[in-house]
Amino acid sequence: MLGALKDAQGKGDGSFEKAVTAAFEHVFEHLDRLNDHVARGGPDGEDRRLENGESATLR
């Protein structure tokens, strides 16, 4: 990803913008997958209940 950005930088042909867009799409795909692994709350999407000893800041 970084290599593609460095290669496209300064070309002035739109390839840098395309590389940045692809990088963000890649990051958001990973975030979506990570989010799928997080326990969901109730039917309205509220936060799940904390487990004993679990800090709300570590969600």
Side-chain angles (χ1 to χ4, degrees), residues 12-44:
D13 62 357
S15 58
F16 183 75
E17 290 80 2
K18 290 177 186 176
V20 169
T21 300
F24 274 105
E25 289 173 349
H26 181 81
V27 168
F28 283 114
E29 286 173 11
H30 279 282
L31 289 174
D32 283 341
R33 283 193 297 253
L34 179 63
N35 193 40
D36 287 342
H37 292 287
V38 176
R40 307 273 173 161
D44 295 325

Side-chain angles (χ1 to χ4, degrees), residues 34-55:
L34 179 63
N35 193 40
D36 287 342
H37 292 287
V38 176
R40 307 273 173 161
D44 295 325
E46 67 270 10
D47 287 341
R48 64 175 171 77
R49 298 176 77 170
L50 292 174
E51 296 179 16
N52 290 335
E54 181 181 17
S55 168

